[in-house]
Short mmCIF file of all heavy atoms in Angstrom, two decimals:
data_model
loop_
_atom_site.label_atom_id
_atom_site.label_comp_id
_atom_site.label_asym_id
_atom_site.label_seq_id
_atom_site.Cartn_x
_atom_site.Cartn_y
_atom_site.Cartn_z
N CYS A 74 26.75 3.40 29.73
CA CYS A 74 26.12 3.03 28.48
C CYS A 74 25.30 1.72 28.68
O CYS A 74 24.08 1.69 28.25
CB CYS A 74 27.10 2.87 27.42
SG CYS A 74 27.86 4.32 26.75
N GLU A 75 25.91 0.77 29.31
CA GLU A 75 25.21 -0.52 29.48
C GLU A 75 24.02 -0.39 30.50
O GLU A 75 23.01 -1.03 30.26
CB GLU A 75 26.24 -1.57 30.01
CG GLU A 75 27.31 -1.91 28.94
CD GLU A 75 28.40 -2.77 29.52
OE1 GLU A 75 28.38 -3.02 30.74
OE2 GLU A 75 29.32 -3.09 28.71
N VAL A 78 21.14 1.09 28.43
CA VAL A 78 20.49 0.11 27.59
C VAL A 78 19.58 -0.79 28.47
O VAL A 78 18.36 -1.04 28.10
CB VAL A 78 21.51 -0.77 26.90
CG1 VAL A 78 20.89 -1.92 26.24
CG2 VAL A 78 22.31 0.05 25.85
N ALA A 79 20.10 -1.22 29.61
CA ALA A 79 19.34 -2.12 30.50
C ALA A 79 18.00 -1.42 31.01
O ALA A 79 16.97 -2.01 31.06
CB ALA A 79 20.18 -2.55 31.61
N LEU A 82 15.45 -0.99 28.06
CA LEU A 82 14.91 -2.23 27.64
C LEU A 82 14.07 -2.92 28.72
O LEU A 82 13.22 -3.77 28.44
CB LEU A 82 16.00 -3.16 27.15
CG LEU A 82 16.67 -2.78 25.81
CD1 LEU A 82 17.75 -3.81 25.38
CD2 LEU A 82 15.67 -2.53 24.68
N VAL A 88 13.65 0.00 21.22
CA VAL A 88 13.56 1.29 20.72
C VAL A 88 13.46 1.17 19.20
O VAL A 88 14.22 0.45 18.60
CB VAL A 88 14.73 2.24 21.12
CG1 VAL A 88 14.67 2.46 22.61
CG2 VAL A 88 16.00 1.72 20.68
N LEU A 91 17.07 5.16 17.40
CA LEU A 91 18.14 5.60 18.33
C LEU A 91 18.85 6.81 17.75
O LEU A 91 19.38 6.73 16.64
CB LEU A 91 19.16 4.47 18.57
CG LEU A 91 20.49 4.76 19.18
CD1 LEU A 91 20.25 5.25 20.62
CD2 LEU A 91 21.46 3.58 19.16
N ALA A 121 30.49 5.63 22.99
CA ALA A 121 29.09 5.54 23.44
C ALA A 121 28.13 5.23 22.28
O ALA A 121 27.29 4.34 22.39
CB ALA A 121 28.69 6.85 24.12
N PRO A 122 28.24 5.89 21.14
CA PRO A 122 27.37 5.37 19.97
C PRO A 122 27.52 3.94 19.63
O PRO A 122 26.57 3.28 19.31
CB PRO A 122 27.77 6.33 18.86
CG PRO A 122 28.27 7.63 19.53
CD PRO A 122 28.97 7.04 20.75
N PHE A 123 28.77 3.47 19.70
CA PHE A 123 29.04 2.06 19.39
C PHE A 123 28.32 1.18 20.41
O PHE A 123 27.61 0.23 20.05
CB PHE A 123 30.59 1.77 19.43
CG PHE A 123 30.90 0.31 19.64
CD1 PHE A 123 30.61 -0.64 18.71
CD2 PHE A 123 31.47 -0.07 20.80
CE1 PHE A 123 30.95 -2.00 18.84
CE2 PHE A 123 31.81 -1.39 21.07
CZ PHE A 123 31.55 -2.32 20.05
N LEU A 124 28.51 1.52 21.71
CA LEU A 124 27.91 0.64 22.72
C LEU A 124 26.42 0.68 22.63
O LEU A 124 25.69 -0.36 22.90
CB LEU A 124 28.43 1.05 24.11
CG LEU A 124 29.90 0.79 24.37
CD1 LEU A 124 30.36 1.42 25.69
CD2 LEU A 124 30.22 -0.72 24.40
N LEU A 125 25.80 1.87 22.45
CA LEU A 125 24.35 1.97 22.40
C LEU A 125 23.86 1.27 21.12
O LEU A 125 22.78 0.57 21.32
CB LEU A 125 23.93 3.36 22.46
CG LEU A 125 24.27 4.15 23.76
CD1 LEU A 125 23.83 5.57 23.69
CD2 LEU A 125 23.70 3.47 24.98
N ALA A 126 24.51 1.38 20.03
CA ALA A 126 23.99 0.64 18.88
C ALA A 126 24.06 -0.83 19.05
O ALA A 126 23.18 -1.59 18.72
CB ALA A 126 24.83 1.11 17.62
N ARG A 127 25.17 -1.27 19.67
CA ARG A 127 25.31 -2.68 19.93
C ARG A 127 24.25 -3.19 20.91
O ARG A 127 23.72 -4.30 20.73
CB ARG A 127 26.72 -2.93 20.55
CG ARG A 127 27.09 -4.40 20.76
CD ARG A 127 28.38 -4.66 21.43
NE ARG A 127 28.34 -4.24 22.82
CZ ARG A 127 29.37 -4.42 23.72
NH1 ARG A 127 30.47 -4.95 23.28
NH2 ARG A 127 29.27 -4.08 24.97
N GLY A 128 23.88 -2.36 21.89
CA GLY A 128 22.90 -2.76 22.89
C GLY A 128 21.47 -2.83 22.35
O GLY A 128 20.74 -3.70 22.66
N PHE A 129 21.11 -1.88 21.44
CA PHE A 129 19.70 -1.81 21.00
C PHE A 129 19.56 -2.52 19.69
O PHE A 129 18.37 -2.81 19.29
CB PHE A 129 19.27 -0.39 20.85
CG PHE A 129 19.12 0.32 22.17
CD1 PHE A 129 20.03 1.30 22.52
CD2 PHE A 129 18.21 -0.06 23.10
CE1 PHE A 129 19.89 2.02 23.83
CE2 PHE A 129 17.97 0.58 24.31
CZ PHE A 129 18.88 1.56 24.66
N ALA A 130 20.60 -2.87 18.97
CA ALA A 130 20.47 -3.51 17.64
C ALA A 130 19.74 -4.87 17.71
O ALA A 130 18.91 -5.16 16.82
CB ALA A 130 21.77 -3.66 16.93
N PRO A 131 20.03 -5.73 18.64
CA PRO A 131 19.38 -7.06 18.62
C PRO A 131 17.82 -7.00 18.60
O PRO A 131 17.23 -7.78 17.82
CB PRO A 131 19.85 -7.73 19.92
CG PRO A 131 21.22 -7.10 20.14
CD PRO A 131 21.02 -5.61 19.70
N ALA A 132 17.22 -6.11 19.35
CA ALA A 132 15.71 -6.02 19.30
C ALA A 132 15.28 -5.37 17.95
O ALA A 132 14.26 -5.79 17.43
CB ALA A 132 15.23 -5.12 20.43
N MET A 133 16.06 -4.51 17.37
CA MET A 133 15.74 -4.01 16.06
C MET A 133 15.78 -5.11 14.99
O MET A 133 15.00 -5.18 14.13
CB MET A 133 16.68 -2.84 15.68
CG MET A 133 16.50 -1.55 16.46
SD MET A 133 17.60 -0.23 15.82
CE MET A 133 17.13 1.14 16.83
#
Side-chain angles (χ1 to χ4, degrees):
C74 290
E75 291 171 1
V78 172
L82 292 181
V88 296
L91 168 63
F123 158 69
L124 291 174
L125 296 180
R127 187 184 71 174
F129 290 113
M133 290 183 177

